[in-house]
Amino acid sequence: MGPDVGRGSGFCERPHDVGLLIQPANSLSNAGFVVAGLLVGWYAGRRERLGDVLPRLRGLPTAYAVVTVLLGPASAAMHATQSALGGRLDLLSMYLIASFAAAYASMRLVRQGSTFFFQVFLLLVAFCELVGTLDFSVPVVHDSGNLVFGVLLVTAIAIEVVLWRRAGRRGDGTRTELRWGGGAAGAMTVAFVIWNLAQGPWCDPTSWLQGHGAWHLLDAVAAYLLFRLYASERAIH
């Protein structure tokens, strides 16, 4: 995938000079995303599990499963090679999942359908790619790519809360089970705390127990729980 340019080298694990994986622990932990995506596909295989909204949106459960699975090899590409291309694939996979979450929440907020979703989704991915080209440092999250990823996730969470409260006030429409959203947000919050600590006091470059690997696994759990939130949406009367 090109020469080692140090992409991802700031995530604690010491580069290995032998073998196929420069950062083996950080690379292999991405298998969690593949498992999560396959679980999404398995769960979506029965229509009655998908609530009252997803079955009307042809192709979206499959798209979400694919995007979740892609997080694994894309992130592993960066940690395994530390190449520039690997880094770009890692960011692209992050943009895809965050754009999906924000677009799906926005679609339901304005009561539109699949066409609206895919339009917003593609626009958000393009916007992320544009922002990601800007070279500036950001406190805590480090760079513009991570910043726009985080902003989209926070936006998606905020809209999901608005949707849940709107359904409760009106007593009609559809409503999700908030426990799934709370679980996803909780897993991402813990993952983000570990992500930061693993670059500081919890860093052990030679250990196979890498905090950044825990970030991958917890984010995989969050991705699965987020889909369960979508699948829990049912009509209320």
PDB file of all heavy atoms in Angstrom, residues 193-228:
ATOM      1  N   VAL A 193     -12.461   8.019  25.934  1.00  0.00           N
ATOM      2  CA  VAL A 193     -11.603   8.223  27.114  1.00  0.00           C
ATOM      3  C   VAL A 193     -10.364   7.335  27.019  1.00  0.00           C
ATOM      4  O   VAL A 193      -9.233   7.793  27.244  1.00  0.00           O
ATOM      5  CB  VAL A 193     -12.388   7.933  28.410  1.00  0.00           C
ATOM      6  CG1 VAL A 193     -11.448   7.920  29.609  1.00  0.00           C
ATOM      7  CG2 VAL A 193     -13.490   8.967  28.612  1.00  0.00           C
ATOM      8  N   ILE A 194     -10.571   6.066  26.678  1.00  0.00           N
ATOM      9  CA  ILE A 194      -9.441   5.145  26.546  1.00  0.00           C
ATOM     10  C   ILE A 194      -8.526   5.578  25.407  1.00  0.00           C
ATOM     11  O   ILE A 194      -7.295   5.480  25.510  1.00  0.00           O
ATOM     12  CB  ILE A 194      -9.959   3.708  26.325  1.00  0.00           C
ATOM     13  CG1 ILE A 194     -10.681   3.218  27.584  1.00  0.00           C
ATOM     14  CG2 ILE A 194      -8.809   2.763  25.963  1.00  0.00           C
ATOM     15  CD1 ILE A 194     -11.337   1.855  27.420  1.00  0.00           C
ATOM     16  N   TRP A 195      -9.113   6.051  24.303  1.00  0.00           N
ATOM     17  CA  TRP A 195      -8.341   6.528  23.149  1.00  0.00           C
ATOM     18  C   TRP A 195      -7.333   7.591  23.580  1.00  0.00           C
ATOM     19  O   TRP A 195      -6.180   7.591  23.127  1.00  0.00           O
ATOM     20  CB  TRP A 195      -9.306   7.081  22.114  1.00  0.00           C
ATOM     21  CG  TRP A 195      -8.724   7.520  20.810  1.00  0.00           C
ATOM     22  CD1 TRP A 195      -8.387   6.738  19.746  1.00  0.00           C
ATOM     23  CD2 TRP A 195      -8.420   8.867  20.402  1.00  0.00           C
ATOM     24  NE1 TRP A 195      -7.907   7.502  18.709  1.00  0.00           N
ATOM     25  CE2 TRP A 195      -7.922   8.814  19.080  1.00  0.00           C
ATOM     26  CE3 TRP A 195      -8.540  10.107  21.036  1.00  0.00           C
ATOM     27  CZ2 TRP A 195      -7.528   9.952  18.379  1.00  0.00           C
ATOM     28  CZ3 TRP A 195      -8.156  11.248  20.347  1.00  0.00           C
ATOM     29  CH2 TRP A 195      -7.655  11.169  19.033  1.00  0.00           C
ATOM     30  N   ASN A 196      -7.767   8.488  24.445  1.00  0.00           N
ATOM     31  CA  ASN A 196      -6.871   9.537  24.923  1.00  0.00           C
ATOM     32  C   ASN A 196      -5.864   9.013  25.937  1.00  0.00           C
ATOM     33  O   ASN A 196      -4.662   9.323  25.849  1.00  0.00           O
ATOM     34  CB  ASN A 196      -7.688  10.681  25.540  1.00  0.00           C
ATOM     35  CG  ASN A 196      -8.289  11.603  24.489  1.00  0.00           C
ATOM     36  OD1 ASN A 196      -7.619  12.465  23.949  1.00  0.00           O
ATOM     37  ND2 ASN A 196      -9.565  11.399  24.183  1.00  0.00           N
ATOM     38  N   LEU A 197      -6.306   8.228  26.896  1.00  0.00           N
ATOM     39  CA  LEU A 197      -5.398   7.711  27.917  1.00  0.00           C
ATOM     40  C   LEU A 197      -4.333   6.796  27.313  1.00  0.00           C
ATOM     41  O   LEU A 197      -3.197   6.749  27.794  1.00  0.00           O
ATOM     42  CB  LEU A 197      -6.194   6.945  28.974  1.00  0.00           C
ATOM     43  CG  LEU A 197      -7.090   7.793  29.891  1.00  0.00           C
ATOM     44  CD1 LEU A 197      -7.935   6.895  30.779  1.00  0.00           C
ATOM     45  CD2 LEU A 197      -6.253   8.743  30.737  1.00  0.00           C
ATOM     46  N   ALA A 198      -4.706   6.080  26.259  1.00  0.00           N
ATOM     47  CA  ALA A 198      -3.763   5.154  25.630  1.00  0.00           C
ATOM     48  C   ALA A 198      -2.633   5.877  24.911  1.00  0.00           C
ATOM     49  O   ALA A 198      -1.611   5.265  24.574  1.00  0.00           O
ATOM     50  CB  ALA A 198      -4.492   4.244  24.650  1.00  0.00           C
ATOM     51  N   GLN A 199      -2.805   7.161  24.664  1.00  0.00           N
ATOM     52  CA  GLN A 199      -1.738   7.951  24.059  1.00  0.00           C
ATOM     53  C   GLN A 199      -0.917   8.687  25.119  1.00  0.00           C
ATOM     54  O   GLN A 199      -0.010   9.439  24.774  1.00  0.00           O
ATOM     55  CB  GLN A 199      -2.346   8.959  23.075  1.00  0.00           C
ATOM     56  CG  GLN A 199      -3.088   8.307  21.930  1.00  0.00           C
ATOM     57  CD  GLN A 199      -3.850   9.319  21.100  1.00  0.00           C
ATOM     58  OE1 GLN A 199      -3.251  10.205  20.473  1.00  0.00           O
ATOM     59  NE2 GLN A 199      -5.172   9.216  21.078  1.00  0.00           N
ATOM     60  N   GLY A 200      -1.251   8.457  26.383  1.00  0.00           N
ATOM     61  CA  GLY A 200      -0.557   9.123  27.483  1.00  0.00           C
ATOM     62  C   GLY A 200      -0.198   8.143  28.575  1.00  0.00           C
ATOM     63  O   GLY A 200       0.630   7.243  28.374  1.00  0.00           O
ATOM     64  N   PRO A 201      -0.824   8.243  29.751  1.00  0.00           N
ATOM     65  CA  PRO A 201      -0.394   7.435  30.902  1.00  0.00           C
ATOM     66  C   PRO A 201      -0.603   5.945  30.752  1.00  0.00           C
ATOM     67  O   PRO A 201       0.053   5.165  31.441  1.00  0.00           O
ATOM     68  CB  PRO A 201      -1.258   7.997  32.052  1.00  0.00           C
ATOM     69  CG  PRO A 201      -2.422   8.658  31.388  1.00  0.00           C
ATOM     70  CD  PRO A 201      -1.889   9.195  30.107  1.00  0.00           C
ATOM     71  N   TRP A 202      -1.522   5.521  29.897  1.00  0.00           N
ATOM     72  CA  TRP A 202      -1.763   4.094  29.730  1.00  0.00           C
ATOM     73  C   TRP A 202      -0.960   3.483  28.584  1.00  0.00           C
ATOM     74  O   TRP A 202      -1.154   2.326  28.240  1.00  0.00           O
ATOM     75  CB  TRP A 202      -3.245   3.833  29.467  1.00  0.00           C
ATOM     76  CG  TRP A 202      -4.116   4.023  30.677  1.00  0.00           C
ATOM     77  CD1 TRP A 202      -3.745   4.526  31.891  1.00  0.00           C
ATOM     78  CD2 TRP A 202      -5.501   3.704  30.783  1.00  0.00           C
ATOM     79  NE1 TRP A 202      -4.809   4.556  32.748  1.00  0.00           N
ATOM     80  CE2 TRP A 202      -5.905   4.060  32.104  1.00  0.00           C
ATOM     81  CE3 TRP A 202      -6.448   3.189  29.908  1.00  0.00           C
ATOM     82  CZ2 TRP A 202      -7.217   3.893  32.550  1.00  0.00           C
ATOM     83  CZ3 TRP A 202      -7.746   3.027  30.345  1.00  0.00           C
ATOM     84  CH2 TRP A 202      -8.128   3.369  31.657  1.00  0.00           C
ATOM     85  N   CYS A 203      -0.060   4.219  28.007  1.00  0.00           N
ATOM     86  CA  CYS A 203       0.687   3.719  26.855  1.00  0.00           C
ATOM     87  C   CYS A 203       1.770   2.733  27.274  1.00  0.00           C
ATOM     88  O   CYS A 203       2.628   3.050  28.100  1.00  0.00           O
ATOM     89  CB  CYS A 203       1.315   4.892  26.088  1.00  0.00           C
ATOM     90  SG  CYS A 203       2.334   4.373  24.681  1.00  0.00           S
ATOM     91  N   ASP A 204       1.737   1.539  26.724  1.00  0.00           N
ATOM     92  CA  ASP A 204       2.789   0.531  26.890  1.00  0.00           C
ATOM     93  C   ASP A 204       3.114   0.005  25.491  1.00  0.00           C
ATOM     94  O   ASP A 204       2.438  -0.889  24.984  1.00  0.00           O
ATOM     95  CB  ASP A 204       2.322  -0.599  27.799  1.00  0.00           C
ATOM     96  CG  ASP A 204       3.413  -1.643  28.040  1.00  0.00           C
ATOM     97  OD1 ASP A 204       4.493  -1.535  27.411  1.00  0.00           O
ATOM     98  OD2 ASP A 204       3.191  -2.557  28.847  1.00  0.00           O
ATOM     99  N   PRO A 205       4.145   0.548  24.857  1.00  0.00           N
ATOM    100  CA  PRO A 205       4.399   0.260  23.440  1.00  0.00           C
ATOM    101  C   PRO A 205       4.621  -1.203  23.106  1.00  0.00           C
ATOM    102  O   PRO A 205       4.389  -1.615  21.966  1.00  0.00           O
ATOM    103  CB  PRO A 205       5.656   1.089  23.136  1.00  0.00           C
ATOM    104  CG  PRO A 205       5.666   2.163  24.168  1.00  0.00           C
ATOM    105  CD  PRO A 205       5.084   1.532  25.401  1.00  0.00           C
ATOM    106  N   THR A 206       5.073  -2.005  24.056  1.00  0.00           N
ATOM    107  CA  THR A 206       5.410  -3.398  23.746  1.00  0.00           C
ATOM    108  C   THR A 206       4.302  -4.380  24.104  1.00  0.00           C
ATOM    109  O   THR A 206       4.419  -5.567  23.824  1.00  0.00           O
ATOM    110  CB  THR A 206       6.692  -3.810  24.493  1.00  0.00           C
ATOM    111  OG1 THR A 206       6.480  -3.701  25.909  1.00  0.00           O
ATOM    112  CG2 THR A 206       7.860  -2.921  24.095  1.00  0.00           C
ATOM    113  N   SER A 207       3.235  -3.914  24.722  1.00  0.00           N
ATOM    114  CA  SER A 207       2.164  -4.802  25.165  1.00  0.00           C
ATOM    115  C   SER A 207       1.226  -5.164  24.018  1.00  0.00           C
ATOM    116  O   SER A 207       0.983  -4.364  23.115  1.00  0.00           O
ATOM    117  CB  SER A 207       1.371  -4.133  26.292  1.00  0.00           C
ATOM    118  OG  SER A 207       0.249  -4.931  26.653  1.00  0.00           O
ATOM    119  N   TRP A 208       0.675  -6.378  24.102  1.00  0.00           N
ATOM    120  CA  TRP A 208      -0.369  -6.763  23.156  1.00  0.00           C
ATOM    121  C   TRP A 208      -1.728  -6.229  23.601  1.00  0.00           C
ATOM    122  O   TRP A 208      -2.689  -6.279  22.839  1.00  0.00           O
ATOM    123  CB  TRP A 208      -0.431  -8.284  23.024  1.00  0.00           C
ATOM    124  CG  TRP A 208       0.535  -8.797  22.008  1.00  0.00           C
ATOM    125  CD1 TRP A 208       1.861  -9.042  22.169  1.00  0.00           C
ATOM    126  CD2 TRP A 208       0.238  -9.104  20.636  1.00  0.00           C
ATOM    127  NE1 TRP A 208       2.417  -9.486  20.993  1.00  0.00           N
ATOM    128  CE2 TRP A 208       1.446  -9.534  20.039  1.00  0.00           C
ATOM    129  CE3 TRP A 208      -0.910  -9.067  19.865  1.00  0.00           C
ATOM    130  CZ2 TRP A 208       1.520  -9.922  18.703  1.00  0.00           C
ATOM    131  CZ3 TRP A 208      -0.854  -9.448  18.536  1.00  0.00           C
ATOM    132  CH2 TRP A 208       0.355  -9.867  17.970  1.00  0.00           C
ATOM    133  N   LEU A 209      -1.823  -5.731  24.832  1.00  0.00           N
ATOM    134  CA  LEU A 209      -3.069  -5.139  25.320  1.00  0.00           C
ATOM    135  C   LEU A 209      -2.993  -3.636  25.098  1.00  0.00           C
ATOM    136  O   LEU A 209      -2.573  -2.877  25.971  1.00  0.00           O
ATOM    137  CB  LEU A 209      -3.274  -5.464  26.806  1.00  0.00           C
ATOM    138  CG  LEU A 209      -3.407  -6.953  27.151  1.00  0.00           C
ATOM    139  CD1 LEU A 209      -3.494  -7.140  28.656  1.00  0.00           C
ATOM    140  CD2 LEU A 209      -4.631  -7.548  26.457  1.00  0.00           C
ATOM    141  N   GLN A 210      -3.370  -3.215  23.939  1.00  0.00           N
ATOM    142  CA  GLN A 210      -3.284  -1.817  23.559  1.00  0.00           C
ATOM    143  C   GLN A 210      -4.621  -1.099  23.794  1.00  0.00           C
ATOM    144  O   GLN A 210      -5.682  -1.596  23.413  1.00  0.00           O
ATOM    145  CB  GLN A 210      -2.902  -1.690  22.084  1.00  0.00           C
ATOM    146  CG  GLN A 210      -1.462  -2.090  21.792  1.00  0.00           C
ATOM    147  CD  GLN A 210      -0.472  -1.129  22.436  1.00  0.00           C
ATOM    148  OE1 GLN A 210      -0.672   0.091  22.444  1.00  0.00           O
ATOM    149  NE2 GLN A 210       0.601  -1.673  22.981  1.00  0.00           N
ATOM    150  N   GLY A 211      -4.536   0.093  24.403  1.00  0.00           N
ATOM    151  CA  GLY A 211      -5.735   0.884  24.602  1.00  0.00           C
ATOM    152  C   GLY A 211      -6.417   1.235  23.296  1.00  0.00           C
ATOM    153  O   GLY A 211      -7.651   1.305  23.225  1.00  0.00           O
ATOM    154  N   HIS A 212      -5.635   1.444  22.247  1.00  0.00           N
ATOM    155  CA  HIS A 212      -6.238   1.771  20.956  1.00  0.00           C
ATOM    156  C   HIS A 212      -6.999   0.567  20.395  1.00  0.00           C
ATOM    157  O   HIS A 212      -8.003   0.733  19.690  1.00  0.00           O
ATOM    158  CB  HIS A 212      -5.163   2.219  19.961  1.00  0.00           C
ATOM    159  CG  HIS A 212      -5.726   2.921  18.764  1.00  0.00           C
ATOM    160  ND1 HIS A 212      -6.235   4.194  18.824  1.00  0.00           N
ATOM    161  CD2 HIS A 212      -5.880   2.523  17.474  1.00  0.00           C
ATOM    162  CE1 HIS A 212      -6.667   4.561  17.630  1.00  0.00           C
ATOM    163  NE2 HIS A 212      -6.468   3.559  16.791  1.00  0.00           N
ATOM    164  N   GLY A 213      -6.529  -0.629  20.727  1.00  0.00           N
ATOM    165  CA  GLY A 213      -7.274  -1.819  20.352  1.00  0.00           C
ATOM    166  C   GLY A 213      -8.614  -1.877  21.071  1.00  0.00           C
ATOM    167  O   GLY A 213      -9.632  -2.268  20.489  1.00  0.00           O
ATOM    168  N   ALA A 214      -8.621  -1.473  22.348  1.00  0.00           N
ATOM    169  CA  ALA A 214      -9.885  -1.409  23.097  1.00  0.00           C
ATOM    170  C   ALA A 214     -10.826  -0.387  22.477  1.00  0.00           C
ATOM    171  O   ALA A 214     -12.052  -0.584  22.432  1.00  0.00           O
ATOM    172  CB  ALA A 214      -9.599  -1.057  24.556  1.00  0.00           C
ATOM    173  N   TRP A 215     -10.263   0.726  21.969  1.00  0.00           N
ATOM    174  CA  TRP A 215     -11.065   1.726  21.259  1.00  0.00           C
ATOM    175  C   TRP A 215     -11.773   1.095  20.062  1.00  0.00           C
ATOM    176  O   TRP A 215     -12.964   1.308  19.842  1.00  0.00           O
ATOM    177  CB  TRP A 215     -10.144   2.868  20.831  1.00  0.00           C
ATOM    178  CG  TRP A 215     -10.492   3.633  19.596  1.00  0.00           C
ATOM    179  CD1 TRP A 215     -10.039   3.387  18.331  1.00  0.00           C
ATOM    180  CD2 TRP A 215     -11.366   4.783  19.478  1.00  0.00           C
ATOM    181  NE1 TRP A 215     -10.554   4.311  17.441  1.00  0.00           N
ATOM    182  CE2 TRP A 215     -11.366   5.176  18.116  1.00  0.00           C
ATOM    183  CE3 TRP A 215     -12.121   5.516  20.392  1.00  0.00           C
ATOM    184  CZ2 TRP A 215     -12.104   6.259  17.649  1.00  0.00           C
ATOM    185  CZ3 TRP A 215     -12.863   6.597  19.920  1.00  0.00           C
ATOM    186  CH2 TRP A 215     -12.852   6.957  18.562  1.00  0.00           C
ATOM    187  N   HIS A 216     -11.048   0.282  19.303  1.00  0.00           N
ATOM    188  CA  HIS A 216     -11.655  -0.393  18.153  1.00  0.00           C
ATOM    189  C   HIS A 216     -12.805  -1.308  18.589  1.00  0.00           C
ATOM    190  O   HIS A 216     -13.889  -1.280  18.003  1.00  0.00           O
ATOM    191  CB  HIS A 216     -10.610  -1.229  17.414  1.00  0.00           C
ATOM    192  CG  HIS A 216      -9.580  -0.419  16.704  1.00  0.00           C
ATOM    193  ND1 HIS A 216      -8.282  -0.890  16.492  1.00  0.00           N
ATOM    194  CD2 HIS A 216      -9.616   0.824  16.166  1.00  0.00           C
ATOM    195  CE1 HIS A 216      -7.594   0.030  15.841  1.00  0.00           C
ATOM    196  NE2 HIS A 216      -8.384   1.072  15.628  1.00  0.00           N
ATOM    197  N   LEU A 217     -12.564  -2.110  19.610  1.00  0.00           N
ATOM    198  CA  LEU A 217     -13.559  -3.088  20.040  1.00  0.00           C
ATOM    199  C   LEU A 217     -14.804  -2.419  20.610  1.00  0.00           C
ATOM    200  O   LEU A 217     -15.930  -2.836  20.328  1.00  0.00           O
ATOM    201  CB  LEU A 217     -12.940  -4.042  21.062  1.00  0.00           C
ATOM    202  CG  LEU A 217     -11.819  -4.942  20.525  1.00  0.00           C
ATOM    203  CD1 LEU A 217     -11.169  -5.711  21.665  1.00  0.00           C
ATOM    204  CD2 LEU A 217     -12.355  -5.908  19.470  1.00  0.00           C
ATOM    205  N   LEU A 218     -14.614  -1.370  21.403  1.00  0.00           N
ATOM    206  CA  LEU A 218     -15.761  -0.659  21.965  1.00  0.00           C
ATOM    207  C   LEU A 218     -16.550   0.073  20.883  1.00  0.00           C
ATOM    208  O   LEU A 218     -17.784   0.143  20.941  1.00  0.00           O
ATOM    209  CB  LEU A 218     -15.297   0.322  23.040  1.00  0.00           C
ATOM    210  CG  LEU A 218     -14.912  -0.308  24.377  1.00  0.00           C
ATOM    211  CD1 LEU A 218     -14.176   0.712  25.255  1.00  0.00           C
ATOM    212  CD2 LEU A 218     -16.150  -0.837  25.102  1.00  0.00           C
ATOM    213  N   ASP A 219     -15.854   0.614  19.902  1.00  0.00           N
ATOM    214  CA  ASP A 219     -16.557   1.263  18.796  1.00  0.00           C
ATOM    215  C   ASP A 219     -17.340   0.249  17.965  1.00  0.00           C
ATOM    216  O   ASP A 219     -18.402   0.569  17.419  1.00  0.00           O
ATOM    217  CB  ASP A 219     -15.573   2.024  17.907  1.00  0.00           C
ATOM    218  CG  ASP A 219     -15.147   3.339  18.520  1.00  0.00           C
ATOM    219  OD1 ASP A 219     -15.840   3.820  19.433  1.00  0.00           O
ATOM    220  OD2 ASP A 219     -14.128   3.899  18.085  1.00  0.00           O
ATOM    221  N   ALA A 220     -16.819  -0.970  17.857  1.00  0.00           N
ATOM    222  CA  ALA A 220     -17.557  -2.019  17.162  1.00  0.00           C
ATOM    223  C   ALA A 220     -18.845  -2.348  17.911  1.00  0.00           C
ATOM    224  O   ALA A 220     -19.911  -2.527  17.295  1.00  0.00           O
ATOM    225  CB  ALA A 220     -16.694  -3.267  17.011  1.00  0.00           C
ATOM    226  N   VAL A 221     -18.760  -2.418  19.227  1.00  0.00           N
ATOM    227  CA  VAL A 221     -19.960  -2.637  20.042  1.00  0.00           C
ATOM    228  C   VAL A 221     -20.953  -1.495  19.825  1.00  0.00           C
ATOM    229  O   VAL A 221     -22.159  -1.723  19.659  1.00  0.00           O
ATOM    230  CB  VAL A 221     -19.581  -2.749  21.533  1.00  0.00           C
ATOM    231  CG1 VAL A 221     -20.833  -2.732  22.415  1.00  0.00           C
ATOM    232  CG2 VAL A 221     -18.776  -4.019  21.792  1.00  0.00           C
ATOM    233  N   ALA A 222     -20.449  -0.254  19.813  1.00  0.00           N
ATOM    234  CA  ALA A 222     -21.310   0.910  19.606  1.00  0.00           C
ATOM    235  C   ALA A 222     -21.999   0.856  18.248  1.00  0.00           C
ATOM    236  O   ALA A 222     -23.184   1.202  18.127  1.00  0.00           O
ATOM    237  CB  ALA A 222     -20.491   2.195  19.735  1.00  0.00           C
ATOM    238  N   ALA A 223     -21.275   0.439  17.218  1.00  0.00           N
ATOM    239  CA  ALA A 223     -21.862   0.359  15.876  1.00  0.00           C
ATOM    240  C   ALA A 223     -23.008  -0.642  15.840  1.00  0.00           C
ATOM    241  O   ALA A 223     -24.054  -0.396  15.215  1.00  0.00           O
ATOM    242  CB  ALA A 223     -20.792  -0.016  14.853  1.00  0.00           C
ATOM    243  N   TYR A 224     -22.833  -1.779  16.516  1.00  0.00           N
ATOM    244  CA  TYR A 224     -23.904  -2.771  16.557  1.00  0.00           C
ATOM    245  C   TYR A 224     -25.110  -2.250  17.341  1.00  0.00           C
ATOM    246  O   TYR A 224     -26.262  -2.382  16.908  1.00  0.00           O
ATOM    247  CB  TYR A 224     -23.409  -4.075  17.176  1.00  0.00           C
ATOM    248  CG  TYR A 224     -24.509  -5.096  17.344  1.00  0.00           C
ATOM    249  CD1 TYR A 224     -25.031  -5.771  16.252  1.00  0.00           C
ATOM    250  CD2 TYR A 224     -25.056  -5.352  18.605  1.00  0.00           C
ATOM    251  CE1 TYR A 224     -26.060  -6.687  16.397  1.00  0.00           C
ATOM    252  CE2 TYR A 224     -26.087  -6.266  18.757  1.00  0.00           C
ATOM    253  CZ  TYR A 224     -26.583  -6.929  17.657  1.00  0.00           C
ATOM    254  OH  TYR A 224     -27.619  -7.823  17.809  1.00  0.00           O
ATOM    255  N   LEU A 225     -24.859  -1.624  18.493  1.00  0.00           N
ATOM    256  CA  LEU A 225     -25.950  -1.109  19.312  1.00  0.00           C
ATOM    257  C   LEU A 225     -26.705   0.006  18.592  1.00  0.00           C
ATOM    258  O   LEU A 225     -27.921   0.155  18.765  1.00  0.00           O
ATOM    259  CB  LEU A 225     -25.407  -0.605  20.649  1.00  0.00           C
ATOM    260  CG  LEU A 225     -24.829  -1.670  21.580  1.00  0.00           C
ATOM    261  CD1 LEU A 225     -24.278  -1.023  22.853  1.00  0.00           C
ATOM    262  CD2 LEU A 225     -25.875  -2.719  21.929  1.00  0.00           C
ATOM    263  N   LEU A 226     -25.991   0.790  17.784  1.00  0.00           N
ATOM    264  CA  LEU A 226     -26.645   1.841  17.023  1.00  0.00           C
ATOM    265  C   LEU A 226     -27.648   1.242  16.032  1.00  0.00           C
ATOM    266  O   LEU A 226     -28.761   1.763  15.863  1.00  0.00           O
ATOM    267  CB  LEU A 226     -25.619   2.690  16.287  1.00  0.00           C
ATOM    268  CG  LEU A 226     -26.156   3.885  15.493  1.00  0.00           C
ATOM    269  CD1 LEU A 226     -26.873   4.863  16.413  1.00  0.00           C
ATOM    270  CD2 LEU A 226     -25.020   4.590  14.750  1.00  0.00           C
ATOM    271  N   PHE A 227     -27.267   0.140  15.406  1.00  0.00           N
ATOM    272  CA  PHE A 227     -28.214  -0.508  14.501  1.00  0.00           C
ATOM    273  C   PHE A 227     -29.417  -1.048  15.258  1.00  0.00           C
ATOM    274  O   PHE A 227     -30.554  -0.959  14.767  1.00  0.00           O
ATOM    275  CB  PHE A 227     -27.548  -1.643  13.726  1.00  0.00           C
ATOM    276  CG  PHE A 227     -28.497  -2.320  12.775  1.00  0.00           C
ATOM    277  CD1 PHE A 227     -28.817  -1.723  11.564  1.00  0.00           C
ATOM    278  CD2 PHE A 227     -29.099  -3.528  13.099  1.00  0.00           C
ATOM    279  CE1 PHE A 227     -29.723  -2.322  10.694  1.00  0.00           C
ATOM    280  CE2 PHE A 227     -29.997  -4.135  12.237  1.00  0.00           C
ATOM    281  CZ  PHE A 227     -30.307  -3.517  11.030  1.00  0.00           C
ATOM    282  N   ARG A 228     -29.184  -1.592  16.445  1.00  0.00           N
ATOM    283  CA  ARG A 228     -30.308  -2.067  17.231  1.00  0.00           C
ATOM    284  C   ARG A 228     -31.242  -0.919  17.604  1.00  0.00           C
ATOM    285  O   ARG A 228     -32.463  -1.106  17.705  1.00  0.00           O
ATOM    286  CB  ARG A 228     -29.803  -2.771  18.495  1.00  0.00           C
ATOM    287  CG  ARG A 228     -29.086  -4.093  18.226  1.00  0.00           C
ATOM    288  CD  ARG A 228     -29.998  -5.129  17.582  1.00  0.00           C
ATOM    289  NE  ARG A 228     -31.166  -5.423  18.394  1.00  0.00           N
ATOM    290  CZ  ARG A 228     -31.192  -6.379  19.327  1.00  0.00           C
ATOM    291  NH1 ARG A 228     -30.117  -7.154  19.529  1.00  0.00           N
ATOM    292  NH2 ARG A 228     -32.287  -6.610  20.026  1.00  0.00           N
TER     293      ARG A 228
END
